[in-house]
Amino acid sequence: MRWPRRGAAHGERSMKALLACAFFLLGSVLCAAAALFPQTSEDVYEKSGTTLDAGGAASGYVMVKRSADVQQRVRISSGGQAFTYSLRQDGEFEVFPLQLGSGEYEIRVYEQVRGDQYAQVYAKSIRARMEDENLAFLYPNQYVWYTPDSSVVALAQELCSADMSDKEKLTALYTYVVKHISYDYIKAATVQSGYMPDLEVILERGNGICFDVASLLAAMLRVQGVPAQIAIGNVHGMYHAWNRVYLDGEWRLVDATLKIMNYGKEVKASDYRMERYY
């Protein structure tokens, strides 16, 4: 099948990344079985140039595509909560999580009219029935994007083994990230609104901002079958991104970025103010 894409175009991969992909293709069947990827389906709704593939709703995601010459937004709401995303303009599927669990969802697509004004061009209600409501955090999506041949998949499988517990996998992956990724202070000062992490670039350059670090760790955990979220909000007044990882029946806060930064202040879980999660 043709894999849906997320947003930012990937550049040329380094030899290290190519070797990592080769490792994935030749790797352990047991480890590969842990990785879940979106699939196109026949549960498709098309109207006004918009296509919604709802076949993955039971697994916690939907896919949307639409070709347009203007900026577009997707708004996914359920139970009074809503998440808004940018949508590609090239007609390629993008993957969006249904992170609010089982229930009724409203999928709406908007196109820019001028400035900050958008007009609705599509709306569809769907019902998601999930046997496991953590599935949304085991698949790639727009904020945590990778495909079967991504080097992040191969790297996660290289660092972990099938007999490791989820806690041991978290320790191995967290340790790798804090040792091999540095904080990019210049990027943090200049990053533009709408930025999305490119995991290939992050691994090749070995640096990034908090959003990059959280996306990288979430991706590797998901590849290993450990539910992981990106949380966005603030800590000590700083706009920030971190992870929440599902271990032993509960969500636990994990912040690799502050470790990488050698952040000097004491930080407690109660200091974090989460605004949204993916």
Side-chain angles (χ1 to χ4, degrees):
M1 64 169 289
R2 187 175 184 181
W3 294 99
R5 294 191 293 171
R6 185 225 47 211
H10 288 168
E12 291 296 322
R13 295 175 179 166
S14 65
M15 180 60 69
K16 178 180 178 180
L18 290 173
L19 291 173
C21 290
F23 178 90
F24 165 71
L25 293 174
L26 298 174
S28 162
V29 173
L30 287 175
C31 287
L36 301 175
F37 298 96
Q39 303 288 334
T40 54
S41 75
E42 297 182 356
D43 190 8
V44 173
Y45 305 91
E46 296 182 87
K47 186 177 180 180
S48 304
T50 299
T51 302
L52 167 67
D53 188 330
S59 295
Y61 69 88
V62 293
M63 299 191 293
V64 181
K65 66 179 179 179
R66 178 180 175 83
S67 295
D69 295 326
V70 296
Q71 293 185 35
Q72 305 173 107
R73 300 286 186 267
V74 174
R75 185 176 177 85
I76 301 178
S77 58
S78 178
Q81 297 187 64
F83 297 84
T84 302
Y85 306 87
S86 295
L87 180 65
R88 295 177 64 93
Q89 297 172 238
D90 61 4
E92 294 284 350
F93 271 126
E94 289 193 80
V95 182
F96 302 100
L98 302 179
Q99 61 264 65
L100 297 173
S102 297
E104 298 286 341
Y105 284 83
E106 188 76 18
I107 316 295
R108 297 178 182 270
V109 178
Y110 300 84
E111 282 191 355
Q112 184 183 42
V113 177
R114 64 177 65 86
D116 294 331
Q117 298 181 2
Y118 285 76
Q120 180 177 301
V121 294
Y122 179 85
K124 176 68 180 178
S125 295
I126 64 169
R127 179 161 185 81
R129 298 179 177 86
M130 305 176 198
E131 292 185 7
D132 181 351
E133 298 193 354
N134 286 336
L135 277 175
F137 310 109
L138 286 172
Y139 282 88
N141 61 44
Q142 189 188 66
Y143 278 60
V144 187
W145 186 246
Y146 52 93
T147 61
D149 65 343
S150 295
S151 56
V152 68
V153 175
L155 178 60
Q157 294 191 19
E158 182 179 4
L159 294 170
C160 298
S161 61
D163 61 349
M164 293 172 68
S165 68
D166 287 355
K167 185 176 181 179
E168 289 171 331
K169 291 175 181 178
L170 171 60
T171 299
L173 299 173
Y174 175 90
T175 300
Y176 180 90
V177 170
V178 299
K179 285 186 176 180
H180 293 85
I181 305 297
S182 61
Y183 191 75
D184 190 336
Y185 290 91
I186 295 176
K187 184 176 182 179
T190 58
V191 67
Q192 300 294 309
S193 176
Y195 169 79
M196 286 290 172
D198 184 328
L199 300 183
E200 298 291 329
V201 172
I202 296 163
L203 286 176
E204 289 175 5
R205 296 180 178 175
N207 60 27
I209 57 176
C210 59
F211 194 4
D212 299 324
V213 172
S215 181
L216 177 60
L217 184 55
M220 291 198 290
L221 286 164
R222 292 182 186 191
V223 167
Q224 285 299 313
V226 182
Q229 301 172 350
I230 290 181
I232 296 177
N234 68 80
V235 60
H236 288 179
M238 299 184 301
Y239 193 60
H240 192 50
W242 62 94
N243 294 108
R244 296 174 75 226
V245 182
Y246 195 74
L247 292 175
D248 300 324
E250 63 180 5
W251 288 100
R252 301 187 183 185
L253 190 154
V254 177
D255 192 340
T257 300
L258 294 190
K259 179 68 173 179
I260 291 169
M261 294 173 66
N262 292 316
Y263 188 67
K265 298 180 181 179
E266 180 183 358
V267 184
K268 300 175 292 186
S270 58
D271 294 328
Y272 289 82
R273 299 287 185 268
M274 184 172 68
E275 297 175 359
R276 57 193 190 278
Y277 60 100
Y278 304 94

